[in-house]
Amino acid sequence: MKFDRRILRTRESIFNAFHSLLAEKTYNKITVQEIIDRANIGRSTFYAHFTSKDHLLEEVGSQLFHHIFTDSPERHPAYDDSNPDTIRHTILHTLIHLEENKKSLEGLLCPEAEPMLYQYFAQDIYTLIQKAFPKGEPWKKKNIPEAFLIHHTAFSFFQLLKWWYENDCKESPEELTRYYLAVMEPLYT
């Protein structure tokens, strides 16, 4: 989809307003009027771009997680570049990115927004993890239904993020990667 510069500037203004409000309060406490005021736009302009605050959340979630789920992420100094296809690399990349976007995600981790946020990346995080784990679908040998594994993997990761954010991200992405893998690897190997 091609946008003209005015549309891009308006959307950027709305995103920036939303992100700045998320740094101050949780999603459920933000109103469309506050977004409009902060973005310095009219109500009709907001609704020309988004049908609701939830629609804006969907776009923000999509943008936030898009980078993570692309096939060729940029390298970060903490990555082990000797083997970028490992599950460790995949989880570490995800956690470093989420740590860098901490302020945006913190405000979204509230009861009202969590189900929507979870929905945006549940299947993607599972697919990402599945690509990095050894091939051969070992969970089938253990009689674990794939649908259960998808839910368990994504929900576990989401709960790990919640716990991390609730504890002020005290653990490094490297430590968190180690925790997650210690719990999840037995399912996949």
Side-chain angles (χ1 to χ4, degrees):
M1 175 187 272
K2 187 175 177 178
F3 291 109
D4 73 28
R5 288 182 186 166
R6 286 176 298 165
I7 291 172
L8 290 173
R9 277 195 302 269
T10 301
R11 288 176 67 85
E12 184 177 337
S13 177
I14 294 169
F15 286 136
N16 288 340
F18 189 54
H19 284 293
S20 72
L21 286 163
L22 283 170
E24 298 169 15
K25 55 175 99 178
T26 60
Y27 173 79
N28 61 332
K29 296 201 173 162
I30 296 170
T31 65
V32 170
Q33 187 60 53
E34 289 174 310
I35 297 166
I36 289 167
D37 292 344
R38 185 78 51 106
N40 196 23
I41 59 169
R43 183 168 288 279
S44 61
T45 301
F46 177 85
Y47 286 109
H49 293 272
F50 304 100
T51 57
S52 64
K53 183 176 82 166
D54 290 348
H55 182 210
L56 173 58
L57 173 64
E58 183 179 336
E59 291 283 325
V60 167
S62 179
Q63 282 188 352
L64 183 61
F65 299 120
H66 174 74
H67 164 77
I68 297 169
F69 302 121
T70 58
D71 288 334
S72 53
E74 78 276 355
R75 297 295 178 229
H76 189 281
Y79 296 161
D80 173 11
D81 282 326
S82 63
N83 195 354
D85 294 328
T86 64
I87 186 62
R88 181 188 179 284
H89 175 88
T90 302
I91 296 298
L92 182 58
H93 168 76
T94 303
L95 293 172
I96 288 170
H97 180 71
L98 292 173
E99 182 181 49
E100 289 169 352
N101 289 279
K102 181 181 177 199
K103 283 294 178 195
S104 295
L105 196 54
E106 271 178 345
L108 296 174
L109 290 172
C110 65
E112 184 182 310
E114 272 181 33
M116 289 178 278
L117 193 63
Y118 174 76
Q119 163 190 325
Y120 299 139
F121 80 95
Q123 182 63 45
D124 288 331
I125 191 66
Y126 173 76
T127 301
L128 192 67
I129 290 169
Q130 185 184 31
K131 281 185 203 174
F133 272 110
K135 303 297 178 234
E137 302 175 334
W139 62 89
K140 287 187 177 178
K141 294 175 193 159
K142 296 178 184 181
N143 265 343
I144 301 173
E146 189 170 357
F148 171 81
L149 196 59
I150 289 169
H151 176 76
H152 181 72
T153 302
F155 190 75
S156 261
F157 189 77
F158 192 75
Q159 292 304 311
L160 173 92
L161 291 179
K162 274 185 61 179
W163 176 82
W164 190 36
Y165 279 79
E166 287 168 1
N167 289 294
D168 245 3
C169 297
K170 290 177 187 162
E171 293 76 12
S172 69
E174 291 81 2
E175 287 176 294
L176 220 52
T177 298
R178 187 173 56 78
Y179 299 165
Y180 187 73
L181 291 178
V183 172
M184 298 306 292
E185 276 183 319
L187 290 173
Y188 287 88
T189 56

